Each structure stands twice: as structure tokens, then as C-alpha cells.
């Protein structure tokens, strides 16, 4: 039954489990905080035990030690100060910025041949000439300007200097693009030239620069400019001259880490501080050097002013003595290890580790490949297919080539130009004087003298673009040529250049002309009357000529042909040309034609003998009639045989019985890797003309010898190709690295020579031979109009084991250079086999012989330290 009491109990339990409602709270926030029980109204100190505190401290120390941070660094990270409002003061001129070793704008000149150095010059157009290379450095630009007549060394040095500045962001240059190279010899981009002139002087117009000096000027400049170097060493509290290095080419042996040096280059003065030098010495030396800089300079006792080497005070240069240094000069502080390129490149033996090829460890088969620079042979098709354009001289912006009349297109109209000569004056220059030549002797030059030639001319514009085909005459122009004979002294060449400046009242162009390298416009001035006499014969009184004189014909065009005297003897006969033999006593003149002399040369010989006959009648045999005889090689008369002292045809390269066909002129290329890649540069003949298919002597011996030795030249002699190898002079460093580089160049030259022969005639390539300087065979020396063997050059080649008259097939030597193994006996002999790297002689041993000699394998040997490797090689004389 259902009870009422049980129902009431269940109702009560149901009411008990209902959730309680929240009590009503006040809306006042202050009252709410007062009612909260979890907020303390008083401070209660909590004490922990010592054990718990030590555990916390140890835990913090362990965390700090694991972080790897110092206590100061952790304290800084734990700091909560707000430093966003802190502003640091910037000093107007700090010590570091006040002695920077560079300027905002710098023009660096590269001039020299043996030890070409960078020199700071005034950043203006007056400091530049067409015969040197320059690098313009600013913070936002880097330009390389290569003069039209600069040598290969100057080009390579300037380009390498700019590359290193760009690579290392040196001298304050922060550009991100490659340096701009402006080569005036091969032609430059107008936009790049505009950028260069704007960066240099703020003007986009190209100005007329100074002409190049003589070739000998480079070596003379190096000697004189190094003589102005002054080095001070800080000793006993003061700067004292370091006599061991003053006035000389600097070497790194002066830079000891415990010293402080002050090096004065004129426009540059550096305070070089060694790493181990005392701090007091650094501060005092810097202060004394600054006083020295502020005192100015005095170069009155020197033959050259390094501030402006080629400009005197009257021409806009700096005086030789002044109380102030130029504002564009550099006074800088350099710490050891932070040297700039402008500083380092003045030391002849400075080594840059970034350019060296390191060898560490051993990989089988790679011990030889790591020791040489990887360069590739030149593309011979570029050599053969290159267009040979005549060398054209430009004067006052107008080209004056060999033409007296030419047509140019200007704005769609054709203009005809004509050169009219108004006068030619010639002075012979002595060391301290000059005297004008009579018109009868105008065109006669002595190889032992120097001359100044003034040419007055006009350029007329004729009627193709003018009404009624009239003639518009231009203004009178003037140019000065200073001609240097091959036997003239350096003093006379310098005096000739000075006389040219004194005579130049018109301020016209001044052109240096070297014997055998005369431009066509110079030869045309004398209208076939030019004769170059050996020594000083043209200026001798009449009747002083004794004996025989021999003259060789030069050039083929009628307006440019002339005679050049050589020594009388069978060794000076050339089967590929014509010669004139004159007896100054009897008046006998013999015209001799070689077996391979071209028709144009024979014709010029007949015409030129009239000029020689006229001069001989005037100067030598005034009381006799000149008798002329014409003979061919092999049919000489008695007088000719008498002059040659019973002619021996083995003394010259006689082509009388040769079937050789000379259909084209000789071409010569300089092969080098100075620019970083292996290149071939053709030696141009100033008198080259496409109208002449065959020229007997387009090149001369000085083209070979004036290059930096040992040089490599490829000579294409029509039916045979020669590779001429230069010599090691006493001045050149014959170190292991230099020999390795030369071997790499020679291997590329050998491969290029073989590829060149294949490209000329695929079916029947001409033979290729290697000849050596000083011991060349007659078949090679007779490719040149004259040849003189220097005793020092011959001795150098004989010392290297060469034989007089030696010529070796290129393929044979190339086979030797790729040989990878030699015996120990072959490697200790001198001279070393061709192509062997003297720095890695042990690598050429076979594995078996290597282990017998060193007592260990190659792997174990190359894992040793370098000094142990050196000691082991010294014991076996492989060093």
C-alpha cells in the first residue's frame, strides 16, 4: 500500500539536492573588494629552510653554466630597463676616420715594364697620357682606363688591381657591379667613356690627352720614381731614416711586426704599425708623421717629382718644392694585416694568399693537377679570321692615314677630304743643342741620333657636299714628330723629347716615332727620299765615307718605301727582299735582288737607288760618277763577291733552290695569360696595307725582345710556323711558382700552335717548330730585316742546355710536357725535363720508386706536415 509518510520523505530529499542560489552582491566595486577573503591586508614573512635555498642557487648556476654566457651577459639579458629612448652622441671626427688610407676620389696610374706599381696622381685629365693605364676609384664607381699605347704589363696590372679592389671592397669602394674597363686600343663604348669623364672631372667631353712617351721611358721612370721612396723607422722615441730601404724598390722584409714605419711616396704617406709594436710607439710615431706631412716636401735633389712626374709647374703641375702637400694626397694609418691594394702593390715581393693555389692532403691521381692554374688554349679561328685593319693615326680628332684624299659619310652626306702639306722642318738633336737640317739632307736619318720633325698641313673639304663642287680650305695645323734611332742613347732620347716641348709654339700634338715603326703619314712627308744610315753617317762631311755600305729596302707602297743601312756581310743578305750595295770609294752601286724578292720590292729598289745615288754624289764620291749595276741572287758580279769577302751562302738562309711559294705576309702573335686567361695578341705593322699581299719584313726583332721575358710568340711564316720561347733574364725571379706558371703558358702555346697549323690547312698542315732566344736558326732570324744576338741572351739559353741553331718539332715537346712519370735520376739533373713542375718533383715518381726513395707511400707522405715533407725532399735533392 502506498503510505503518505514515505511520499513526504522523498519530497524532502528532492528539495535538498537543489543548487543554492548565489547571494546578492553589491554593485559598488570598493565594497566588493572589501568583502573578498582571498586578498591579504597585511604582509606575512615566509621563511624557507637553508637546504631549500641552496638547492635553488645550485639549480640557477647549472642553468647559467649550460647557457654558455658570461655573468655580465646574463645580467644584461635579465635587465628590464627600457633603452629605446637612449640616444648616443656621434663624434664629429674620430681617430679612425681621420687617418683613412684612401680618399673619396682617387686616380691611380700604372706605369712601368719590369716592376709596374700603382701611384696616386691628381684626379684630373692633365695627369693622364695615352701611353699608360689608370684606375679611377670612388665610393660608387670603379673604372679602368687603358691607354692606346700602354704595354701589356700595365694593362694586366691595372685590370688585376681593379678586380681585387672590387672583390675586397677596398679603398672605400662599395660597388656591386664589375669594374668598367675602357680599352682605347681596341675601341671603347661611348657610354662608358662618358661615365668615366663625368666621374673624373664632371665633364662628359673627351679632352686631348698627352701623347705617349718613348718605350724606354717606362724603365727610366721605374728607376727614378723608386729613388724618391723614403722610409722612416721609429727608434728611441723619434723617426729615423731607414737607409736600408730608402731610394729603392721596397720589399716585405722591411715590415717586421715589432716596428712602426713611416713610408713616404710623395703624394702618399703611410704609418705602418706592426702587430707587436708598443702602444706608446704607435701614438708618438703617428703624431711625428703628421708633423712631417704638414711640413710639405722638397724634391729639388731628385730627377723626378713624384707629385707630378710628367708636368712641370709651368704646364700645370706641382712645384718640386712646397710647404704644403696636395689636398688629394693620402696620409693614412695602416695596421699590419689591413693593408690596402694601393699600399701592397708597391712591394715587389708581396704575396696575396687569396691568389695562391693551396695543396693539402692527397688524392690519388691529383698530385700534379693541383699545382698549376687551369688555362685553356686560345681559339685559333679568332686569330686566322680576324680582320686586319691598317693602323690609322688620329690628329686633332681627324684621321691622317696614308691617303691624301679620302671620302667620309657625315649625316647622310659624303664629304671628300684632302691633305695639303704646307711645310716640313727637321732638326737634329744633340744632348744640349739642336740644329736644323738643310733641305738637301731632309729625309736622311742616323740610327745613332734623334730628330724633331715639324709638319704644317691643312685639311681641305672638297665638293661632294658643297655647292658648285668648290673647295673649302681648313685651318693650318701642326704636328711634331720626335724620331728616335735604334742606336741613340737614353740621354739623347730624353733631350729630343725636351726639345720637342720647347719647339712646340703652336701647342700641337707631339708623336713619338721609333725607328722601323714609322707611321705612313710620317714616311709620306719625304717622298721616297728617306734613308736611315747606321751610326752617324748622314751628318759627316763630304768625302769621309770609306768602304762598302749595304742598304735593305723597307715597305712596299711607293709613297712609303725607304732604305735602311745594315752591316756589310753575307749574314745580312735576305733572299726574300732586295738590297743596295754602295762603294763609297769607287762609286759602284749594285742593286741585288733575292731569289724570293717580290716584284713590288724590286720596283721600289730601282726607284730608291736614285735617291741613294744623289746622296752619294753629294756626300761621298763627289769627284766620281756613280755606276749602277743590277744583279740577281746566284749571279753576283766580282765587285759584289769582293764586298762580301768570297760569298758563303751558308751564312744566311739562302732560298735560291727552294720551292717555297711566299704568297702572304708574316703574322706574329704574343701568347700570354697575364690577364687571367690565355690570349693571342697580334703584333701590328704600322705600314700594313691590304693592297700588298706579301710584305718581306712586317715585323722586327725588337718586337720579340721588348716584351716581358720569358715571352712566347707564334710566328706564321707562310709555309712554316714557329713558336719562339724567350729567355730568363737576371732580373726575373726564377722561382718555382714562376716556372710553374710559365710551363702552363707554354703548354697552352704548344697546343695553340698545333691547332693553328690544322686550321690553316686541314689536308696538309705546315710544320711547327719551337726555337729558343739567343740560339735561333738562320731560317728564323732571316724572317727579320736585321738580327743581332745579345751575348747575355745566348748565355742564358746555353745554360739551360739549348744548342745553337736548335729547332724542335712542337709535337715532340708537347709529348714531353704531358709525361707524368720520371725516374729519380732524371729529376735531380739540371736543367729539369721540359714541363716539369719544380715545386712537386716527387709527384713524378712512380709508386714503387717513391716508396723506395721515401720509405713510405704517397698517401702517408702527403699526410705529413709541410716542414717534414720539405726535409724529406731536401735529403733526396728534390727541392
Amino acid at each position: 500500500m502506498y503510505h503518505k509518510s514515505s511520499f513526504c520523505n522523498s519530497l524532502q530529499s528532492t528539495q535538498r539536492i537543489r543548487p543554492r542560489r548565489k547571494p546578492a552582491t553589491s554593485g559598488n566595486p570598493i565594497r566588493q573588494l572589501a568583502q573578498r577573503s582571498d586578498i591579504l591586508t597585511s604582509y606575512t614573512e615566509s621563511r624557507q629552510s637553508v637546504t631549500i635555498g641552496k638547492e635553488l642557487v645550485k639549480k640557477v648556476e647549472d642553468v647559467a653554466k649550460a647557457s654558455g654566457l658570461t655573468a655580465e651577459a646574463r645580467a644584461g639579458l635579465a635587465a628590464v630597463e627600457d633603452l629605446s629612448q637612449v640616444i648616443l652622441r656621434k663624434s664629429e671626427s674620430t681617430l679612425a676616420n681621420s687617418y683613412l688610407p684612401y680618399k673619396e676620389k682617387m686616380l691611380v696610374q700604372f706605369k712601368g715594364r719590369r716592376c709596374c706599381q700603382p701611384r696616386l696622381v691628381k684626379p684630373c685629365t692633365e695627369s693622364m697620357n695615352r701611353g699608360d693605364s689608370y684606375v679611377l676609384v670612388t665610393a660608387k664607381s670603379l673604372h679602368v682606363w687603358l691607354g692606346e699605347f700602354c704595354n701589356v704589363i700595365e694593362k694586366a696590372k691595372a685590370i688585376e688591381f681593379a678586380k681585387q679592389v672590387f672583390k675586397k671592397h677596398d679603398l672605400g669602394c662599395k660597388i656591386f657591379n664589375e669594374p668598367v674597363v675602357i680599352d682605347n686600343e681596341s675601341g671603347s663604348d661611348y657610354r662608358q667613356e662618358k661615365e668615366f669623364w663625368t666621374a673624373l672631372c664632371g665633364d662628359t667631353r673627351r679632352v686631348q690627352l698627352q701623347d705617349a712617351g718613348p718605350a724606354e721611358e717606362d724603365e727610366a721612370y721605374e728607376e727614378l720614381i723608386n729613388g724618391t721612396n723614403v722610409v722612416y723607422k721609429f727608434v728611441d722615441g723619434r723617426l729615423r731614416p731607414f737607409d736600408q730601404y730608402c731610394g729603392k724598390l721596397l720589399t716585405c722584409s722591411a715590415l717586421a711586426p715589432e716596428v712602426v714605419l713611416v713610408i713616404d711616396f710623395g703624394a702618399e704617406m703611410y704609418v705602418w704599425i706592426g702587430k707587436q709594436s708598443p702602444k706608446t710607439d704607435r701614438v708618438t710615431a703617428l703624431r711625428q708623421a703628421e708633423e712631417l706631412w704638414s711640413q710639405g716636401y722638397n724634391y729639388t735633389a731628385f730627377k723626378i717629382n713624384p707629385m707630378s712626374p710628367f708636368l712641370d709647374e709651368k704646364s700645370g703641375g706641382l712645384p718640386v718644392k712646397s710647404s704644403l702637400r696636395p689636398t688629394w694626397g693620402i696620409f693614412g694609418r695602416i695596421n699590419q694585416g689591413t693593408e690596402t691594394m694601393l699600399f701592397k702593390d708597391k712591394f715587389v715581393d708581396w704575396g696575396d694568399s687569396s691568389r695562391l693555389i693551396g695543396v693539402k692532403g692527397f688524392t690519388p691521381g691529383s698530385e700534379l693537377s693541383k699545382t698549376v692554374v687551369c688555362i685553356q688554349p686560345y681559339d685559333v679561328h679568332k686569330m686566322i679570321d680576324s680582320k686586319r685593319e691598317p693602323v690609322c693615326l688620329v690628329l686633332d680628332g681627324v684621321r691622317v692615314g696614308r691617303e691624301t684624299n679620302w671620302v667620309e659619310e657625315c649625316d647622310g652626306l659624303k664629304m671628300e677630304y684632302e691633305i695639303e702639306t704646307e711645310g716640313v722642318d727637321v732638326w737634329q738633336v744633340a744632348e744640349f743643342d739642336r740644329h736644323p737640317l738643310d733641305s738637301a739632307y731632309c729625309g736622311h736619318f742616323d740610327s745613332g741620333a734623334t730628330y724633331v720633325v715639324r709638319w704644317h698641313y691643312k685639311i681641305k673639304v672638297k665638293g661632294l657636299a658643297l655647292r658648285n663642287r668648290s673647295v673649302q680650305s681648313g685651318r693650318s695645323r701642326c704636328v711634331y714628330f720626335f724620331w728616335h734611332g735604334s742606336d741613340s742613347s737614353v740621354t739623347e732620347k730624353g733631350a729630343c723629347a725636351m726639345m720637342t716641348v720647347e719647339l712646340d709654339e703652336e701647342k700641337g700634338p707631339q708623336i713619338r716615332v721609333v725607328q722601323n715603326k714609322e707611321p705612313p703619314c710620317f714616311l709620306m712627308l719625304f717622298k721616297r727620299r728617306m734613308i736611315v744610315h747606321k751610326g752617324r753617317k748622314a751628318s759627316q762631311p763630304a768625302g769621309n765615307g770609306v768602304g762598302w755600305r749595304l742598304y735593305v729596302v723597307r715597305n712596299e707602297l711607293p709613297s712609303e718605301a725607304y732604305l735602311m743601312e745594315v752591316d756589310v756581310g753575307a749574314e745580312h743578305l735576305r733572299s726574300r727582299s732586295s738590297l743596295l750595295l754602295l762603294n763609297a770609294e769607287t762609286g759602284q752601286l749594285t742593286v741585288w735582288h733575292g731569289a724570293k724578292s717580290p716584284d713590288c720590292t724590286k720596283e721600289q729598289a730601282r726607284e730608291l737607288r736614285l735617291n741613294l745615288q744623289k746622296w752619294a754624289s753629294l756626300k761621298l764620291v763627289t769627284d766620281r760618277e756613280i755606276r749602277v749595276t743590277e744583279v740577281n741572287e746566284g749571279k753576283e758580279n766580282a765587285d759584289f763577291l769582293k764586298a762580301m769577302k768570297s760569298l758563303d751562302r751558308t751564312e744566311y738562309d739562302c732560298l735560291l733552290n727552294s720551292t717555297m711559294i711566299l704568297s702572304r705576309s708574316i703574322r706574329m702573335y704574343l701568347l700570354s695569360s697575364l690577364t687571367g686567361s690565355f690570349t693571342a695578341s697580334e703584333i701590328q705593322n704600322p705600314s700594313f696595307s691590304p693592297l700588298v699581299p706579301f710584305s718581306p719584313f712586317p715585323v722586327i726583332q725588337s718586337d720579340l725582345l721588348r716584351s716581358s721575358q720569358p715571352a712566347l710568340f707564334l710566328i706564321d711564316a707562310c709555309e712554316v710556323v714557329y713558336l719562339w720561347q724567350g729567355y730568363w733574364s737576371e732580373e726575373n725571379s726564377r722561382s718555382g711558382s714562376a716556372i710553374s706558371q710559365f710551363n702552363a703558358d707554354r703548354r697552352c702555346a704548344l697546343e695553340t700552335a698545333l691547332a693553328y697549323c690544322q686550321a690553316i690547312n686541314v689536308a696538309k698542315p705546315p710544320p711547327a717548330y719551337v726555337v729558343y732566344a739567343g740560339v735561333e736558326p738562320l731560317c728564323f732570324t732571316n724572317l727579320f730585316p736585321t738580327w743581332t744576338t745579345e751575348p747575355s741572351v745566348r748565355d742564358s739559353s746555353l745554360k739551360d742546355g739549348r744548342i745553337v741553331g736548335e729547332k724542335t718539332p712542337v709535337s715532340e715537346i708537347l709529348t714531353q710536357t704531358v709525361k707524368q712519370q720520371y725516374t729519380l735520376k732524371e729529376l735531380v739533373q739540371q736543367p729539369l725535363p721540359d714541363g716539369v713542375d719544380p715545386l712537386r718533383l716527387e709527384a713524378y715518381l712512380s709508386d714503387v720508386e717513391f716508396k723506395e726513395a721515401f720509405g713510405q707511400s704517397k698517401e702517408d707522405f702527403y699526410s705529413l706536415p709541410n716542414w717534414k715533407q720539405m726535409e724529406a725532399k731536401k735529403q733526396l735533392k728534390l727541392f
Side-chain angles (χ1 to χ4, degrees):
M1 282 183 77
Y2 182 75
H3 295 280
K4 182 178 179 181
S5 61
S6 60
F7 173 77
C8 292
N9 293 336
S10 63
L11 182 62
Q12 291 178 358
S13 61
T14 303
Q15 291 178 352
R16 282 197 299 266
I17 63 175
R18 287 179 180 178
R20 287 188 176 184
R21 295 182 179 275
K22 292 183 178 181
T25 58
S26 174
N28 189 341
I30 297 177
R31 184 174 296 176
Q32 290 179 3
L33 288 174
Q35 292 177 354
R36 290 179 58 180
S37 60
D38 60 331
I39 298 179
L40 300 177
T41 57
S42 61
Y43 170 72
T44 303
E45 182 179 2
S46 177
R47 292 183 176 271
Q48 295 181 346
S49 64
V50 177
T51 304
I52 297 177
K54 289 182 178 181
E55 291 178 354
L56 291 175
V57 171
K58 187 176 184 301
K59 187 176 182 180
V60 171
E61 289 178 352
D62 292 341
V63 172
K65 186 181 298 184
S67 66
L69 301 177
T70 62
E72 293 80 2
R74 295 195 302 270
L77 293 174
V80 295
E81 289 82 357
D82 184 11
L83 302 178
S84 60
Q85 303 299 322
V86 178
I87 301 177
L88 300 177
R89 290 188 303 170
K90 184 178 181 181
S91 176
E92 294 295 330
S93 61
T94 62
L95 180 64
N97 291 333
S98 59
Y99 299 113
L100 292 176
Y102 56 84
K103 290 286 185 178
E104 294 181 359
K105 181 195 295 185
M106 292 173 292
L107 182 63
V108 183
Q109 180 184 28
F110 290 83
K111 184 176 185 63
R113 187 173 296 274
R114 298 183 182 274
C115 300
C116 183
Q117 306 176 7
R119 289 281 177 166
L120 187 70
V121 295
K122 185 178 180 180
C124 63
T125 56
E126 290 77 8
S127 302
M128 301 177 64
N129 65 77
R130 299 163 61 193
D132 298 327
S133 298
Y134 298 85
V135 175
L136 179 63
V137 184
T138 65
K140 299 181 180 179
S141 64
L142 184 60
H143 292 82
V144 182
W145 193 91
L146 305 177
E148 183 179 356
F149 303 105
C150 67
N151 60 52
V152 202
I153 305 299
E154 294 167 345
K155 282 186 179 181
K157 284 283 187 180
I159 293 174
E160 180 64 20
F161 178 88
K163 286 183 177 179
Q164 293 298 320
V165 170
F166 165 73
K167 179 181 177 180
K168 301 178 180 179
H169 293 290
D170 198 7
L171 298 175
C173 184
K174 305 299 182 184
I175 64 171
F176 296 96
N177 297 323
E178 292 284 342
V180 179
V181 180
I182 303 172
D183 192 346
N184 290 272
E185 182 180 7
S186 59
S188 56
D189 184 75
Y190 172 75
R191 180 180 57 82
Q192 294 178 347
E193 279 204 41
K194 182 179 178 181
E195 293 176 355
F196 174 78
W197 297 117
T198 304
L200 178 62
C201 55
D203 195 348
T204 59
R205 295 175 299 177
R206 183 174 183 177
V207 298
Q208 183 71 27
L209 301 179
Q210 301 180 55
D211 290 310
E216 298 78 7
E217 182 184 77
D218 291 338
E219 295 184 11
Y221 167 82
E222 288 180 340
E223 181 178 355
L224 294 177
I225 202 69
N226 288 325
T228 63
N229 295 339
V230 181
V231 182
Y232 300 93
K233 184 178 181 180
F234 189 79
V235 180
D236 298 333
R238 56 177 295 187
L239 294 175
R240 300 176 186 273
F242 204 172
D243 296 332
Q244 183 179 352
Y245 298 95
C246 288
K248 300 177 183 178
L249 190 62
L250 297 182
T251 58
C252 294
S253 58
L255 306 177
E258 65 275 1
V259 302
V260 178
L261 300 179
V262 175
I263 307 176
D264 187 0
F265 296 109
E268 309 163 56
M269 181 181 288
Y270 301 100
V271 182
W272 185 87
I273 299 175
K275 292 181 178 179
Q276 302 174 11
S277 59
K279 185 176 181 180
T280 55
D281 290 1
R282 303 180 185 186
V283 177
T284 309
L286 183 63
R287 177 174 51 80
Q288 294 183 9
E290 192 170 12
E291 294 177 359
L292 186 64
W293 174 266
S294 62
Q295 292 173 5
Y297 60 91
N298 184 2
Y299 291 101
T300 54
F302 297 88
K303 296 181 180 180
I304 192 173
N305 180 10
M307 299 293 183
S308 53
F310 305 102
L311 286 178
D312 54 14
E313 191 173 1
K314 296 180 181 179
S315 304
L318 294 178
V320 295
K321 180 180 180 181
S322 176
S323 59
L324 295 175
R325 301 263 183 163
T327 56
W328 48 266
I330 293 177
F331 176 78
R333 167 179 170 164
I334 295 181
N335 296 325
Q336 183 180 1
T338 63
E339 295 85 357
T340 63
M341 287 298 300
L342 189 57
F343 179 86
K344 290 191 291 187
D345 277 9
K346 291 185 176 67
F347 290 78
V348 65
D349 57 346
W350 193 287
D352 191 346
S353 59
S354 64
R355 307 184 207 180
L356 300 179
I357 301 175
V359 179
K360 187 176 182 180
F362 175 81
T363 302
S366 65
E367 60 270 21
L368 294 177
S369 61
K370 290 186 178 181
T371 61
V372 295
V373 181
C374 183
I375 53 177
Q376 299 298 325
Y378 192 70
D379 185 0
V380 295
H381 295 287
K382 295 181 180 179
M383 302 165 62
I384 299 173
D385 301 336
S386 61
K387 295 182 179 180
R388 303 175 66 190
E389 298 292 338
V391 180
C392 187
L393 183 63
V394 178
L395 299 175
D396 291 336
V398 180
R399 66 182 186 92
V400 286
R402 53 171 45 96
E403 304 92 353
T404 55
N405 296 276
W406 71 93
V407 177
E408 288 185 1
E409 187 172 347
C410 181
D411 296 333
L413 300 176
K414 291 185 177 180
M415 307 291 290
E416 184 179 358
Y417 295 89
E418 179 183 358
I419 295 180
E420 178 184 348
T421 297
E422 295 183 330
V424 178
D425 303 305
V426 183
W427 291 268
Q428 183 174 355
V429 179
E431 187 172 351
F432 302 104
D433 195 11
R434 66 176 185 272
H435 62 272
L437 294 185
D438 187 81
S439 58
Y441 304 118
C442 184
H444 292 267
F445 297 86
D446 293 332
S447 65
T450 57
Y451 298 83
V452 177
V453 180
R454 179 173 61 190
W455 177 31
H456 283 284
Y457 66 99
K458 284 184 178 180
I459 298 180
K460 296 182 178 181
V461 182
K462 301 182 68 175
L464 289 181
L466 300 174
R467 296 179 181 179
N468 303 325
R469 299 186 62 84
S470 59
V471 177
Q472 180 178 346
S473 179
R475 61 179 177 87
S476 295
R477 302 169 185 256
C478 179
V479 61
Y480 284 82
F481 299 98
F482 48 104
W483 186 89
H484 292 168
S486 59
D487 301 324
S488 59
S489 64
V490 177
T491 306
E492 290 175 327
K493 293 175 182 178
C496 183
M498 294 297 296
M499 292 296 179
T500 305
V501 177
E502 293 181 7
L503 290 170
D504 189 7
E505 299 176 353
E506 300 84 359
K507 301 300 180 183
Q510 301 171 7
I511 308 297
R512 179 177 63 92
V513 179
V514 180
Q515 181 180 339
N516 295 319
K517 289 292 184 180
E518 296 86 357
C521 64
F522 179 86
L523 300 172
M524 293 172 63
L525 299 179
F526 306 103
K527 301 176 181 178
R528 289 190 183 180
R529 294 180 301 163
M530 182 172 170
I531 301 178
V532 179
H533 304 275
K534 192 170 183 62
R536 294 180 176 271
K537 297 177 180 177
S539 56
Q540 290 177 355
N544 280 1
V546 179
W548 297 91
R549 296 183 178 184
L550 187 63
Y551 296 86
V552 62
V553 177
R554 298 281 290 141
N555 296 339
E556 291 69 45
L557 292 181
S559 59
E560 302 169 17
Y562 69 96
L563 295 175
M564 181 184 69
E565 185 179 1
V566 297
D567 291 331
V568 179
E571 67 274 12
H572 295 286
L573 296 180
R574 299 291 186 267
S575 292
R576 58 177 58 235
S577 183
S578 297
L579 295 93
L580 280 72
L581 179 66
L582 172 66
N583 190 318
E585 296 177 350
T586 64
Q588 177 66 37
L589 179 59
T590 303
V591 181
W592 182 86
H593 300 301
K596 300 298 180 181
S597 179
D599 294 337
C600 58
T601 303
K602 293 180 180 179
E603 183 62 29
Q604 298 312 318
R606 298 185 184 102
E607 296 293 333
L608 291 171
R609 62 100 178 164
L610 298 175
N611 186 25
L612 182 61
Q613 183 178 353
K614 180 179 178 181
W615 177 81
S617 300
L618 184 65
K619 293 289 294 181
L620 300 178
V621 285
T622 56
D623 56 343
R624 296 182 182 88
E625 181 181 356
I626 304 295
R627 303 186 310 276
V628 180
T629 305
E630 189 171 343
V631 298
N632 293 324
E633 185 178 8
K635 299 180 180 180
E636 295 85 358
N637 54 26
D639 289 339
F640 191 89
L641 295 176
K642 181 181 178 181
M644 296 298 153
K645 299 178 181 179
S646 66
L647 177 61
D648 184 2
R649 300 196 188 276
T650 60
E651 295 184 8
Y652 73 102
D653 186 29
C654 179
L655 303 178
L656 192 60
N657 301 320
S658 173
T659 59
M660 182 185 302
I661 300 175
L662 303 179
S663 57
R664 51 189 173 85
S665 301
I666 297 173
R667 300 184 72 174
M668 187 162 72
Y669 304 87
L670 171 63
L671 308 178
S672 174
S673 64
L674 285 175
T675 58
S677 59
F678 193 75
T679 59
S681 306
E682 184 170 6
I683 306 300
Q684 291 284 355
N685 176 21
S687 299
F688 166 74
S689 173
L691 303 177
V692 180
F694 171 66
S695 175
F697 306 118
V699 291
I700 57 178
Q701 183 185 7
S702 61
D703 291 331
L704 299 172
L705 299 179
R706 69 181 179 181
S707 299
S708 179
Q709 300 298 330
L712 294 166
F713 281 89
L714 187 145
I715 297 94
D716 177 9
C718 193
E719 293 194 2
V720 63
V721 173
Y722 294 101
L723 182 63
W724 185 83
Q725 178 177 316
Y727 61 98
W728 290 92
S729 61
E730 295 180 357
E731 293 82 3
N732 291 343
S733 173
R734 202 165 184 171
S735 60
S737 58
I739 296 177
S740 299
Q741 182 63 50
F742 176 74
N743 287 338
D745 286 356
R746 192 178 67 154
R747 182 171 178 175
C748 281
L750 294 170
E751 296 177 359
T752 302
L754 289 180
Y756 186 89
C757 295
Q758 290 286 342
I760 290 177
N761 191 337
V762 179
K764 189 178 179 181
Y769 299 98
V770 177
V771 296
Y772 304 95
V775 292
E776 299 91 346
L778 287 175
C779 57
F780 179 82
T781 59
N782 280 208
L783 300 176
F784 303 84
T786 61
W787 189 272
T788 303
T789 301
E790 294 290 338
S792 59
V793 178
R794 172 171 290 192
D795 293 342
S796 176
S797 294
L798 294 177
K799 186 179 179 181
D800 291 340
R802 308 302 177 191
I803 303 173
V804 177
E806 180 181 356
K807 64 172 185 178
T808 312
V810 170
S811 57
E812 181 180 327
I813 297 182
L814 188 60
T815 305
Q816 295 176 1
T817 58
V818 298
K819 187 177 179 181
Q820 298 293 320
Q821 284 191 359
Y822 290 91
T823 64
L824 180 61
K825 184 179 180 181
E826 292 174 328
L827 293 174
V828 296
Q829 292 179 350
Q830 293 294 332
L832 291 171
D834 283 332
V836 170
D837 184 1
L839 297 179
R840 305 281 288 171
L841 295 177
E842 77 285 351
Y844 293 93
L845 295 172
S846 64
D847 293 340
V848 175
E849 192 170 7
F850 188 96
K851 192 167 185 179
E852 292 177 356
F854 289 92
Q856 56 186 328
S857 64
K858 289 186 178 181
E859 292 85 347
D860 296 337
F861 176 80
Y862 286 114
S863 63
L864 297 175
N866 288 335
W867 67 271
K868 285 191 176 181
Q869 295 181 23
M870 288 294 182
E871 290 296 329
K873 290 194 292 184
K874 286 181 180 179
Q875 293 178 3
L876 297 174
K877 298 182 180 180
L878 293 176
F879 181 77

